[in-house]
Amino acid sequence: MSGLPGAGTSPGLGEASDLKFPLGAKFREPLTEARFQRLFGDAEQAPELLAEPRSSRLCRRWRRLASACSGPGAWRLLRARLPPLRWLPHYRWRAWLLGDAVAGVTVGIVHVPQGMAFALLTSVPPVFGLYTSFFPVLIYTLLGTGRHLSTGTFAVLSLMTGSAVERLVPEPLGGNLSGIEREQLDAQRVGSAAALAFGSGALMLGMFALQLGVLSTFLSEPVVKALTSGAALHVLVSQLPSLLGLPLPRQIGCFSLFKTLAAVLTALPRSSPAELTISALSLALLVPVKELNVRFRDKLPTPIPGEIVMVLLASVLCFTSSLDTRYNVQIVGLLPGGFPQPHLPDLAELPRILADSLPIALVTFAVSASLASIYADKYSYTIDSNQELLAHGISNLISSLFSCFPNSATLATTSLLVDAGGNTQLAGLFSCIVVLSVLLWLGPFFYYLPKAVLACINISSMRQMFFQMQELPQLWRISRMDFAVWMVTWVAVVILSVDLGLAVGVVFSMMTVVCRTQRVQCLALGLAEGTELYRPLEESHKLLKVPGLCILRYPTPLYFGTRGQFRRILEWHLGLGEGRKETPKLDGPPDAVAEPVRVVVLDCSGITFADAAGAREVVQLARRCRDAGIHLLLAQCNASVLGTLTQAGLLDRVTPEQLFVSVQDAAAHALERLEPTGPKTCTVWV
C-alpha cells in the first residue's frame, strides 16, 4: 500500500517507531471512499459514493435489451435456452455414444416397472406412469442443463400427488364399483393429477420469469434429505395394503402414516396368502439384487435389472398359474397402446389444487437442482438454476397435456445412469425409445403383472432414501444446528404429512438463520506489536490501547431483526444513554472502554446488507455520536450497504471524509486526530 499516490513519510517519527508500531507510521495519506474513487475509480461517481443515477441504470438496461434483439443477441439467447446447441457440437461421438446408449437403455428398462409402480402410488392407472416416463424425459433432454440427470416419476412427488388426488376425488364409501364407475373415477383422478402437473409447471415458469432460481438455497441439504427420508417411510407404509392384499382405503392428511398402520394391523387376519407370498418372493429377489448392484458397482459392466426380471417372472407365474382368477390376485390388466389425445386439464380445478401445486413445485425444483449440482461438481461443469426452472416447468406443463402427473429428477435412476456410463442428456433419448417400444408394442406382455410386485418395486426403490439416516452421526459432529433441522423436518414429515413437513422444515431452517444473526459473539481483537495484523486478545501478543479510541466490528447483517442488538452493543461500548448500565458486560478486558471514547471506528466489513430500519439505526448512531462529542468513522462498507446508508441520509450526519476503505486507514486517521503520546496500538472489538 505504500506505493499509492500521495505516499509520504511521517515527520517526527523514527524508523524504529515506524517498524514497531505500524499504525503510528504515516506511510501515506489515509484513503477515504471519496479519495479512493478519485484515484482508482470514476471521478464522476465520487460525489454520489457509488450511487449510480437512475437514468444511467435505465439506459444500460435499455442497451442490454436492444442488444438481445439483434442477430447475435438472439443467437445467444437461443443457445442459453436450448442447451443442446452448446454441447452437441462438441459431443465426442466415439467416446460417449456407447456409454449414453447403454445407460439410456438401462434406465429405460427400469423406468417401465417403476413408472407403473409410482402410478399406483399416485392413485392413477399404471399406463399413466409410462406416459410420465416418456414425455418429461424427452423435454428435459432438450431443455435441461444437468448432463447426468435422469427425470421421470419420483416416489416423493407421487406420494404427494396421490394424497392430493385422493382428497380431491375420494373413492365412494361403498367401495364396490362397476367397471364403468371405476373408469369414470380413474378418469377424474387422472384429470386431477394432470391439473397438479399443470399447476406446478406454471408456478415454476413463473419462478423462472422472476429469476427465482436462487430459491433453491432456502431448501437446504438437511431439509431435502430429511424430507425424502421421511417420505420414504410414508411410501413404505402406504404400500403395506398392496403387499398384504388388503383392499383398504388410502389415508390422507395429518397422522396418515399412523392411521394406515392401525388399519393394516386391524385387517391383518384378512390378508391374502397368495399376494403375501408374491410380495415376500419379490422382496427376496429385489433387495439382494439392489445390494449387489451397490457393492459391485465398479465391477459390473451394467447394473443387474432386477426390476424387469422380477416383472417378467411374476407375469409368467401369474399367467401359467391363473393366480388372478383362482386367488383373486390383483393384476395390472390391459395397457392401452399408443398415446392419449392431448387436451388441456380442467382449469376450473386450478384454484383447488394451488395449495398442493406449490409444495410439489418446490420439491421438484429442490430435488432436481440439488442432484444436478452434485453431479455437476463431480464432473466439473456448471448448471443454470434458472434454466432448470424453465426445463422442469415446461416439462410438467407440456406433459400434463398428455395426462401425465408431476415429475422431477429421480435419485435412483440418476445414480443408475451414472453407474451405467451415461455422459450427456443424449442418454434420455435412448431411455425414451425403450418406454416408447413398451407403449406401442410390448404393453400386452404386462397384462398379468401382479400389483403386489409393483408395491415391492416401490419399497425397494426407497433403499437409498432410507440409508440417508446413516449420515446423522457425522452431521451431529459437523453442525448441531443442521442436525436439529434434519430431525425437526423428518419428525414433521412423518407425523404430519409431506407438504406440511416441508413447510415446517423450511420455516425452522429460516428460524435457525435468524437466531444465528441474533447471537453475535463479541471477541476482543488487538493490533499485534510489530505487525499490521489484528489478533484475539487471548493470544500471547503484546496488545495496548490508545485512550479515547474504540474500534468496533459488527459481524452480521443489519436489518430490522438485529437493529435493537446493534443499538445495545454500541451503547454499551460508547457509553451512550442507559445502554451501558442495563446491558451486561461482554467478554473483553475490564478497562477496554473505561475512559471516555472520543473517536470510534465502525468496521462494516461484516455487514453484508442493510435494510431501511438498519440504515436509519446507523444514521441515528451518527447523530448521537455527534451530540456526545464522539467522532464516528465508518470503514469497509460494501457498495450496496453504502448506497442504502446514503439513501437513508447518512451524509447529513457525517462527511465523506469520515468514510474509509479499510480499518487501517480509519485507525491511522483516528490516531492523527487524537495525537496520542503513548504507544500507537489500539483494541478492536468484534
Side-chain angles (χ1 to χ4, degrees):
M1 296 293 289
S2 59
L4 296 175
T9 305
S10 175
L13 292 174
E15 293 182 1
S17 176
D18 292 349
L19 294 175
K20 190 174 183 180
F21 306 110
L23 274 185
K26 184 179 178 182
F27 293 105
R28 57 171 172 75
E29 180 183 349
L31 279 176
T32 63
E33 290 281 352
R35 183 168 179 265
F36 182 85
Q37 289 300 320
R38 288 196 300 270
L39 292 175
F40 305 106
D42 189 355
E44 297 178 357
Q45 292 182 346
E48 290 82 12
L49 293 174
L50 305 179
E52 184 181 7
R54 184 182 298 272
S55 59
S56 299
R57 292 198 301 269
L58 292 176
C59 290
R60 191 175 69 251
R61 186 176 303 174
W62 175 256
R63 287 194 299 268
R64 187 166 59 247
L65 291 175
S67 64
C69 296
S70 63
W75 174 245
R76 286 194 301 269
L77 180 62
L78 188 62
R79 293 179 76 246
R81 296 296 167 251
L82 287 176
L85 295 179
R86 298 199 305 268
W87 58 263
L88 196 56
H90 306 285
Y91 188 83
R92 297 163 58 185
W93 294 95
R94 292 185 178 180
W96 291 349
L97 183 60
L98 181 60
D100 283 340
V102 172
V105 171
T106 304
V107 171
I109 292 174
V110 175
H111 268 316
V112 173
Q114 278 196 0
M116 293 189 290
F118 292 160
L120 295 182
L121 196 59
T122 316
S123 299
V124 297
V127 69
F128 294 95
L130 297 180
Y131 300 151
T132 311
S133 300
F134 177 79
F135 291 104
V137 177
L138 183 61
I139 295 171
Y140 186 82
T141 301
L142 300 176
L143 298 176
T145 58
R147 298 181 186 176
H148 300 84
L149 211 61
S150 174
T151 59
T153 56
F154 184 40
V156 176
L157 287 183
S158 297
L159 180 69
M160 298 173 68
T161 306
S163 299
V165 168
E166 292 279 352
R167 190 185 70 254
L168 294 171
V169 188
E171 190 166 346
L173 296 178
N176 294 324
L177 301 178
S178 64
I180 297 178
E181 291 174 338
R182 173 59 63 181
E183 290 180 0
Q184 292 175 349
L185 180 66
D186 289 341
Q188 293 177 5
R189 289 183 169 180
V190 168
S192 297
L196 285 168
F198 185 91
S200 60
L203 287 174
M204 282 187 280
L205 287 181
M207 294 165 63
F208 165 75
L210 298 175
Q211 297 292 287
L212 296 181
V214 71
L215 287 179
S216 61
T217 58
F218 291 100
L219 293 171
S220 61
E221 182 178 347
V223 171
V224 174
K225 289 190 174 182
L227 173 73
T228 54
S229 181
L233 190 58
H234 275 278
V235 172
L236 172 62
V237 174
S238 67
Q239 296 303 294
L240 289 179
S242 298
L243 291 178
L244 302 174
L246 296 173
L248 297 177
R250 184 168 180 171
Q251 302 292 334
I252 59 175
C254 297
F255 312 107
S256 60
L257 185 144
F258 305 101
K259 295 177 183 177
T260 304
L261 282 177
V264 168
L265 292 176
T266 303
L268 194 58
R270 304 196 307 270
S271 59
S272 171
E275 298 202 58
L276 183 59
T277 303
I278 292 174
S279 301
L281 293 176
S282 299
L283 290 176
L285 174 65
L286 290 174
V287 173
V289 168
K290 291 279 187 182
E291 192 66 26
L292 288 174
N293 285 334
V294 172
R295 292 198 175 187
F296 299 98
R297 177 182 305 172
D298 299 331
K299 298 181 179 180
L300 292 173
T302 59
I304 303 173
E307 289 89 349
I308 199 65
V309 172
M310 189 66 247
V311 165
L312 295 176
L313 289 178
S315 300
V316 171
L317 178 64
C318 185
F319 172 72
T320 56
S321 304
S322 301
L323 297 179
D324 56 326
T325 57
R326 295 173 60 184
Y327 300 102
N328 289 326
V329 172
Q330 299 182 24
I331 60 175
V332 169
L334 181 63
L335 294 179
F339 297 101
Q341 291 292 331
H343 64 278
L344 191 68
D346 188 6
L347 298 182
E349 293 284 333
L350 292 182
R352 297 176 59 198
I353 57 103
L354 185 60
D356 298 295
S357 298
L358 181 59
I360 288 176
L362 292 177
V363 171
T364 299
F365 179 53
V367 173
S368 303
S370 60
L371 265 180
S373 299
I374 290 172
Y375 288 100
D377 294 339
K378 183 177 180 180
Y379 292 98
S380 302
Y381 62 91
T382 59
I383 64 166
D384 184 350
S385 57
N386 287 305
Q387 179 66 21
E388 289 295 299
L389 272 175
L390 177 67
H392 291 288
I394 292 181
S395 175
N396 279 272
L397 197 66
I398 295 181
S399 62
S400 69
L401 304 180
F402 296 91
S403 303
C404 298
F405 50 85
N407 59 88
S408 73
T410 62
L411 302 176
T413 55
T414 297
S415 177
L416 181 63
L417 185 144
V418 174
D419 294 340
N423 298 290
T424 65
Q425 297 94 317
L426 195 62
L429 294 181
F430 293 97
S431 175
C432 290
I433 292 174
V434 174
V435 179
L436 180 63
S437 63
V438 174
L439 287 170
L440 295 181
W441 302 294
L442 303 179
F445 290 97
F446 299 96
Y447 182 92
Y448 289 98
L449 175 62
K451 291 186 178 181
V453 175
L454 298 180
C456 294
I457 293 174
N458 275 331
I459 294 174
S460 64
S461 65
M462 298 291 102
R463 175 188 179 279
Q464 190 174 1
M465 299 184 193
F466 284 129
F467 284 176
Q468 290 179 145
M469 301 187 72
Q470 295 178 346
E471 303 176 5
L472 286 179
Q474 183 183 11
L475 190 62
W476 171 265
R477 293 190 297 268
I478 296 175
S479 173
R480 306 289 174 85
M481 194 67 72
D482 287 343
F483 179 86
V485 171
W486 202 104
M487 292 303 302
V488 168
T489 305
W490 188 85
V491 171
V493 169
V494 170
I495 294 179
L496 300 177
S497 61
V498 177
D499 48 355
L500 290 179
L502 173 64
V504 170
V506 172
V507 171
F508 184 77
S509 179
M510 293 298 100
M511 288 176 59
T512 61
V513 175
V514 174
C515 291
R516 292 178 189 182
T517 61
Q518 296 292 325
R519 298 175 58 188
V520 177
Q521 297 293 328
C522 293
L523 175 67
L525 299 181
L527 183 66
E529 182 178 352
T531 71
E532 293 186 2
L533 302 176
Y534 294 101
R535 308 295 297 176
L537 291 179
E538 290 81 1
E539 298 184 5
S540 59
H541 295 281
K542 296 180 180 180
L543 300 170
L544 302 176
K545 62 180 182 294
V546 175
L549 175 60
C550 182
I551 301 180
L552 305 173
R553 179 183 299 161
Y554 190 69
T556 191
L558 185 54
Y559 63 103
F560 65 92
T562 58
R563 57 176 298 189
Q565 178 195 53
F566 175 79
R567 184 192 312 117
R568 289 191 298 271
I569 289 178
L570 267 72
E571 284 179 349
W572 187 86
H573 283 292
L574 303 181
L576 300 175
E578 300 296 326
R580 187 171 182 177
K581 298 178 181 179
E582 297 175 357
T583 306
K585 193 166 185 179
L586 306 174
D587 297 336
D591 57 344
V593 289
E595 297 191 21
V597 177
R598 289 185 289 158
V599 180
V600 57
V601 177
L602 180 59
D603 181 5
C604 302
S605 60
I607 304 178
T608 55
F609 72 89
D611 66 355
R616 285 194 293 267
E617 198 63 48
V618 176
V619 174
Q620 291 297 322
L621 171 68
R623 179 188 62 80
R624 297 178 67 185
C625 287
R626 188 179 62 183
D627 295 342
I630 299 175
H631 190 59
L632 174 65
L633 306 176
L634 301 180
Q636 294 188 205
C637 288
N638 64 52
S640 62
V641 172
L642 190 58
T644 304
L645 296 178
T646 303
Q647 295 295 329
L650 179 66
L651 295 184
D652 297 335
R653 306 294 183 185
V654 301
T655 64
E657 298 301 321
Q658 293 174 253
L659 307 177
F660 291 84
V661 297
S662 68
V663 177
Q664 287 80 2
D665 288 296
H669 176 78
L671 291 173
E672 291 179 357
R673 185 179 182 86
L674 291 173
E675 296 181 352
T677 57
K680 307 299 188 294
T681 57
C682 55
T683 301
V684 181
W685 290 80
V686 178

